[in-house]
mmCIF file of all heavy atoms in Angstrom:
data_model
loop_
_atom_site.group_PDB
_atom_site.id
_atom_site.type_symbol
_atom_site.label_atom_id
_atom_site.label_comp_id
_atom_site.label_asym_id
_atom_site.label_seq_id
_atom_site.Cartn_x
_atom_site.Cartn_y
_atom_site.Cartn_z
ATOM 1 N N ASN M 131 27.914 28.915 11.312
ATOM 2 C CA ASN M 131 26.755 29.706 11.718
ATOM 3 C C ASN M 131 27.114 30.883 12.628
ATOM 4 O O ASN M 131 26.510 31.943 12.541
ATOM 5 C CB ASN M 131 25.747 28.778 12.410
ATOM 6 C CG ASN M 131 24.451 29.460 12.742
ATOM 7 O OD1 ASN M 131 23.755 29.920 11.854
ATOM 8 N ND2 ASN M 131 24.130 29.516 14.010
ATOM 9 N N GLU M 132 28.083 30.699 13.492
ATOM 10 C CA GLU M 132 28.387 31.726 14.491
ATOM 11 C C GLU M 132 29.494 32.695 14.081
ATOM 12 O O GLU M 132 29.858 33.574 14.857
ATOM 13 C CB GLU M 132 28.764 31.058 15.819
ATOM 14 C CG GLU M 132 27.668 30.163 16.387
ATOM 15 C CD GLU M 132 26.345 30.869 16.605
ATOM 16 O OE1 GLU M 132 26.333 32.059 16.941
ATOM 17 O OE2 GLU M 132 25.302 30.207 16.427
ATOM 18 N N LEU M 133 30.031 32.558 12.864
ATOM 19 C CA LEU M 133 31.102 33.463 12.429
ATOM 20 C C LEU M 133 30.717 34.943 12.515
ATOM 21 O O LEU M 133 31.514 35.750 13.000
ATOM 22 C CB LEU M 133 31.568 33.104 11.015
ATOM 23 C CG LEU M 133 32.327 31.788 10.869
ATOM 24 C CD1 LEU M 133 32.639 31.518 9.404
ATOM 25 C CD2 LEU M 133 33.603 31.799 11.699
ATOM 26 N N PRO M 134 29.517 35.333 12.069
ATOM 27 C CA PRO M 134 29.162 36.751 12.196
ATOM 28 C C PRO M 134 29.125 37.230 13.645
ATOM 29 O O PRO M 134 29.487 38.373 13.935
ATOM 30 C CB PRO M 134 27.774 36.840 11.561
ATOM 31 C CG PRO M 134 27.658 35.646 10.710
ATOM 32 C CD PRO M 134 28.498 34.581 11.352
ATOM 33 N N PHE M 135 28.691 36.365 14.545
ATOM 34 C CA PHE M 135 28.636 36.775 15.952
ATOM 35 C C PHE M 135 30.044 36.954 16.515
ATOM 36 O O PHE M 135 30.293 37.904 17.267
ATOM 37 C CB PHE M 135 27.831 35.773 16.781
ATOM 38 C CG PHE M 135 27.610 36.225 18.193
ATOM 39 C CD1 PHE M 135 26.870 37.366 18.453
ATOM 40 C CD2 PHE M 135 28.157 35.528 19.257
ATOM 41 C CE1 PHE M 135 26.671 37.802 19.763
ATOM 42 C CE2 PHE M 135 27.954 35.949 20.559
ATOM 43 C CZ PHE M 135 27.215 37.099 20.810
ATOM 44 N N LEU M 136 30.961 36.079 16.153
ATOM 45 C CA LEU M 136 32.352 36.244 16.586
ATOM 46 C C LEU M 136 32.932 37.550 16.054
ATOM 47 O O LEU M 136 33.621 38.277 16.775
ATOM 48 C CB LEU M 136 33.197 35.051 16.157
ATOM 49 C CG LEU M 136 32.851 33.712 16.793
ATOM 50 C CD1 LEU M 136 33.659 32.595 16.155
ATOM 51 C CD2 LEU M 136 33.066 33.757 18.298
ATOM 52 N N ALA M 137 32.633 37.854 14.795
ATOM 53 C CA ALA M 137 33.086 39.122 14.219
ATOM 54 C C ALA M 137 32.470 40.295 14.978
ATOM 55 O O ALA M 137 33.161 41.286 15.275
ATOM 56 C CB ALA M 137 32.727 39.191 12.741
ATOM 57 N N ALA M 138 31.192 40.190 15.315
ATOM 58 C CA ALA M 138 30.512 41.264 16.040
ATOM 59 C C ALA M 138 31.137 41.488 17.416
ATOM 60 O O ALA M 138 31.297 42.634 17.845
ATOM 61 C CB ALA M 138 29.025 40.965 16.169
ATOM 62 N N ILE M 139 31.492 40.425 18.101
ATOM 63 C CA ILE M 139 32.139 40.557 19.414
ATOM 64 C C ILE M 139 33.430 41.354 19.279
ATOM 65 O O ILE M 139 33.673 42.307 20.033
ATOM 66 C CB ILE M 139 32.415 39.172 20.035
ATOM 67 C CG1 ILE M 139 31.111 38.487 20.430
ATOM 68 C CG2 ILE M 139 33.349 39.288 21.245
ATOM 69 C CD1 ILE M 139 31.264 37.021 20.803
ATOM 70 N N ILE M 140 34.254 40.976 18.315
ATOM 71 C CA ILE M 140 35.530 41.666 18.111
ATOM 72 C C ILE M 140 35.298 43.128 17.747
ATOM 73 O O ILE M 140 35.954 44.031 18.273
ATOM 74 C CB ILE M 140 36.368 40.940 17.037
ATOM 75 C CG1 ILE M 140 36.779 39.560 17.550
ATOM 76 C CG2 ILE M 140 37.584 41.770 16.641
ATOM 77 C CD1 ILE M 140 37.330 38.627 16.501
ATOM 78 N N MET M 141 34.335 43.381 16.858
ATOM 79 C CA MET M 141 34.060 44.745 16.422
ATOM 80 C C MET M 141 33.549 45.623 17.568
ATOM 81 O O MET M 141 33.999 46.759 17.737
ATOM 82 C CB MET M 141 33.044 44.729 15.278
ATOM 83 C CG MET M 141 33.581 44.099 14.009
ATOM 84 S SD MET M 141 32.293 43.654 12.826
ATOM 85 C CE MET M 141 31.724 45.256 12.319
ATOM 86 N N VAL M 142 32.635 45.097 18.345
ATOM 87 C CA VAL M 142 32.081 45.881 19.456
ATOM 88 C C VAL M 142 33.159 46.169 20.498
ATOM 89 O O VAL M 142 33.272 47.299 20.988
ATOM 90 C CB VAL M 142 30.859 45.172 20.078
ATOM 91 C CG1 VAL M 142 30.467 45.814 21.403
ATOM 92 C CG2 VAL M 142 29.686 45.187 19.100
ATOM 93 N N LEU M 143 33.960 45.167 20.814
ATOM 94 C CA LEU M 143 35.052 45.403 21.770
ATOM 95 C C LEU M 143 36.069 46.395 21.226
ATOM 96 O O LEU M 143 36.579 47.240 21.968
ATOM 97 C CB LEU M 143 35.727 44.085 22.155
ATOM 98 C CG LEU M 143 34.880 43.135 23.000
ATOM 99 C CD1 LEU M 143 35.613 41.822 23.226
ATOM 100 C CD2 LEU M 143 34.486 43.781 24.323
ATOM 101 N N ALA M 144 36.373 46.313 19.936
ATOM 102 C CA ALA M 144 37.325 47.251 19.333
ATOM 103 C C ALA M 144 36.846 48.684 19.483
ATOM 104 O O ALA M 144 37.622 49.575 19.847
ATOM 105 C CB ALA M 144 37.532 46.915 17.856
ATOM 106 N N VAL M 145 35.553 48.909 19.237
ATOM 107 C CA VAL M 145 35.006 50.266 19.305
ATOM 108 C C VAL M 145 34.833 50.739 20.745
ATOM 109 O O VAL M 145 35.203 51.853 21.097
ATOM 110 C CB VAL M 145 33.671 50.351 18.532
ATOM 111 C CG1 VAL M 145 32.985 51.695 18.753
ATOM 112 C CG2 VAL M 145 33.923 50.107 17.043
ATOM 113 N N THR M 146 34.271 49.878 21.602
ATOM 114 C CA THR M 146 33.994 50.327 22.964
ATOM 115 C C THR M 146 35.267 50.461 23.810
ATOM 116 O O THR M 146 35.339 51.343 24.671
ATOM 117 C CB THR M 146 33.002 49.387 23.687
ATOM 118 O OG1 THR M 146 33.516 48.069 23.678
ATOM 119 C CG2 THR M 146 31.644 49.429 23.000
#
Side-chain angles (χ1 to χ4, degrees):
N131 186 61
E132 301 303 326
L133 291 176
F135 187 64
L136 295 173
I139 291 169
I140 294 167
M141 293 164 69
V142 168
L143 291 176
V145 172
T146 56

